[in-house]
Structure formats: structure tokens, C-alpha cells
Amino acid sequence: MQKAMIERAKALLADGTVNRVLGWEKGEFAYDSPPAVFETADALERGFVYDDFCAANLSKYLVKETKKEGKVLAFLKPCDTYSLNQLTKEHRVNRDNVYVIGVGCDGKADVEKVKAMGVSGIVGIADDGENYKVETLYGSHSVAKADVMAERCLACKSRKLMTYDEILGEDGEVLDSNRFDMVEKLENMTSDERYEFWRGELSRCIRCNACRNVCPACTCEKCVFDNVDSGIANTAAADSFEENMFHIIRAFHVAGRCTDCGECSRVCPQGIPLHLLNRKFIKDMNELYGEYQAGEDTESRAPL
């Protein structure tokens, strides 16, 4: 897939369809593939990568990229296309200024699950069929792909591309997802049990803002949490109810717009399952106002 993506991107650059490419590049570590913009064929050959560790949702980067001169090529996974549709609906992205190549996805890997198996000092990871061959400073390991798939991919709502100009690979289907199972488990707890669960999780928050910064639904030019006069501006971590409010307020701000891409939980350095707050809101809205999936289209009215 990576080779085909590079060749197609080079062709679209060469014929002037686009003047830059949004994708993923080689990071500092074998499992680190951050988003990047490539402007030349040479840059694509040198740095463009696509593998099971290219997990970042690229849609948010299009908020700024589509304001620039010329058209940008963006490689988007199914979950990314939901976010792009939602951003288009909110007039945050100019869809006319992006050429979307949808890429099929069978799920991404979570390196934290690899590390939890006792694998450390990772220097290389290679696809080996149903397994990953992991090279470390201390030897080689074989890790089953199924054992380290990201949680959001295990509960994937859809492998169908919602918007694209062309497709590489195969389009998928909307899935019969089990993503609300943990929400229902929390709902069945007593109020005290739920409080203790969330205090245990949210008390680890260090207010790094990674969840907000990566979230495709968080695109305000001036965030309330950066406003020192708001009373809820970003502060040092506190062992109080304050960090609870940060996440609850943010979840309310994206209610009805969150596509459940799972980026918030993916980037959290403390491993807090922040997606569960959003899924609770999604589940409630489905039950109160009827089934609705943010990002499924660009025309329908949201529940709120």
C-alpha cells in the first residue's frame, strides 16, 4: 500500500492536481509516524510512510491546510473521513481545496500494548503476516497483531469511507459495533461506583491538553481553556474535582459533533479512556433523539 500511495501522490503532484501531500512521515521511533506535509516527489520518497502504526487522524490538519493556496492531497482512513465530513459541515474545512484519497483500513496497532508484553528497547517493527516481528536492543520478538490492536479499532463503528475523490485498496462496511459495551457497564454501576471510577481515571490528568489539541471537533480559534478570565483556564494538575470539569466541559463542547475517532484516548500520556465520556453522550443522544452518526454526511442536522 505504501508504494502505491507514494506513486499516486507523485503523479498528482506532477500533473498539478495538487501542490502538496498530507500523510505520515518516519518518526523518531519505529512505531512513531507523525502527520507531515510533503511538497516534492523526493520528499515523498525519503520520508512518507504508511503502516499499522500510522494511526493519527489527519482531518484536523486540513482546517489550516485548506486555507492555503492550491489543493492539498490527503490520505484519509475511514474514521478520518467521518471527521472530514463533520468539519466540512461546520465550515471549518474547504472541501474544494482537498483531494481525498481514501485508504482501506483493517485496524491500527497500539504500541503501548506491545510494551505491556514486556517488550522494551524497540528499534524496529516489521509486518510478518499475522504477526509483527519486533526488533529490540535485547533481541527479537514475535507479537500477534490481534493481541495489540488499538481499542478503538476493536470497537470500530465503520470501515466504510464516507467521502473521497478516489480509493486505494478496498472500501469497507459500516459495522455492528460493540463500542457502547463499556458505557453500559458504567451505567449499571451505582453512582458512587461511577464517581470512584472517574476519579481514579481523571485524577491522573496532567492538563497537557493533548486530547484537546488532537481532537478534530476542537477547532475554536480561541479555546475557553486558554482564557485566563474564564475561571477554567489551563492550570497545573490538581488533586480535586477541577480536572474532572475540564474533561466534562470539553465533552459537552463536542457533543453531537464527536465522530468517535478515539484520538483523545490515543494521545493521552496517562492512558485515560476519555473516549468513554464522548461515547456516553453519543449513546444518550441516540436514545433521546434517534440514531445519529456525526460525520456520516455533510447535510443532516445534528441532534443538538
Side-chain angles (χ1 to χ4, degrees), residues 202 207 225 232 240-251:
L202 297 178
R207 291 298 294 273
F225 295 115
I232 54 171
S240 70
F241 199 70
E242 185 267 345
E243 60 269 302
N244 290 38
M245 294 308 297
F246 168 79
H247 293 291
I248 293 169
I249 291 168
R250 206 185 76 79

Side-chain angles (χ1 to χ4, degrees), residues 142-212:
S142 181
V143 177
K145 290 183 179 180
D147 292 339
V148 295
M149 184 175 286
E151 185 280 337
R152 62 178 176 172
C153 300
L154 291 172
C156 180
K157 66 181 178 293
S158 175
R159 290 181 179 172
K160 184 174 180 60
L161 296 156
M162 291 293 109
T163 182
Y164 55 84
D165 295 296
E166 63 176 273
I167 295 177
L168 282 180
E170 295 184 4
D171 199 0
E173 299 293 334
V174 175
L175 303 176
D176 184 13
S177 175
N178 62 339
R179 59 183 173 141
F180 297 117
D181 287 1
M182 185 58 187
V183 174
E184 291 178 355
K185 184 177 179 179
L186 289 169
E187 287 174 338
N188 289 330
M189 292 180 179
T190 67
S191 59
D192 287 342
E193 289 171 337
R194 280 196 301 274
Y195 181 83
E196 288 306 314
F197 171 83
W198 283 115
R199 280 305 299 146
E201 295 292 343
L202 297 178
S203 63
R204 300 200 304 275
C205 175
I206 58 174
R207 291 298 294 273
C208 66
N209 286 331
C211 56
R212 179 200 68 179

Side-chain angles (χ1 to χ4, degrees), residues 2-205:
Q2 177 178 307
K3 183 177 180 181
M5 293 166 74
I6 291 174
E7 291 305 313
R8 188 66 186 123
K10 287 164 60 177
L12 290 168
L13 281 172
D15 68 18
T17 300
V18 301
N19 64 4
R20 59 200 185 283
V21 178
L22 176 62
W24 302 265
E25 68 179 352
K26 297 175 183 177
E28 184 175 357
F29 304 104
Y31 48 83
D32 174 31
S33 302
V37 175
F38 306 85
E39 297 184 346
T40 66
D42 287 343
L44 286 164
E45 289 285 359
R46 288 196 310 270
F48 185 96
V49 296
Y50 185 72
D51 56 27
D52 288 352
F53 292 90
C54 293
N57 183 339
L58 300 184
S59 64
K60 183 168 185 174
Y61 299 88
L62 292 171
V63 174
K64 288 186 177 180
E65 285 299 322
T66 57
K67 289 184 173 70
K68 298 178 181 178
E69 185 176 346
K71 182 172 284 192
V72 57
L73 164 60
F75 288 105
L76 301 184
K77 309 184 301 297
C79 49
D80 303 359
T81 64
Y82 279 86
S83 298
L84 175 57
N85 267 352
Q86 189 63 30
L87 288 167
T88 301
K89 181 186 292 189
E90 297 171 8
H91 308 290
R92 301 297 287 133
V93 165
N94 183 347
R95 181 65 175 85
D96 293 336
N97 288 349
V98 54
Y99 188 93
V100 176
I101 294 185
V103 291
C105 180
D106 292 322
K108 296 300 178 183
D110 182 351
V111 73
E112 296 304 321
K113 288 188 175 182
V114 178
K115 294 177 180 179
M117 294 178 173
V119 180
S120 60
I122 299 172
V123 295
I125 301 178
D127 192 313
D128 191 23
E130 296 298 315
N131 304 294
Y132 296 115
K133 185 177 181 182
V134 185
E135 298 293 341
T136 78
L137 295 172
Y138 315 105
S140 299
H141 301 264
S142 181
V143 177
K145 290 183 179 180
D147 292 339
V148 295
M149 184 175 286
E151 185 280 337
R152 62 178 176 172
C153 300
L154 291 172
C156 180
K157 66 181 178 293
S158 175
R159 290 181 179 172
K160 184 174 180 60
L161 296 156
M162 291 293 109
T163 182
Y164 55 84
D165 295 296
E166 63 176 273
I167 295 177
L168 282 180
E170 295 184 4
D171 199 0
E173 299 293 334
V174 175
L175 303 176
D176 184 13
S177 175
N178 62 339
R179 59 183 173 141
F180 297 117
D181 287 1
M182 185 58 187
V183 174
E184 291 178 355
K185 184 177 179 179
L186 289 169
E187 287 174 338
N188 289 330
M189 292 180 179
T190 67
S191 59
D192 287 342
E193 289 171 337
R194 280 196 301 274
Y195 181 83
E196 288 306 314
F197 171 83
W198 283 115
R199 280 305 299 146
E201 295 292 343
L202 297 178
S203 63
R204 300 200 304 275
C205 175

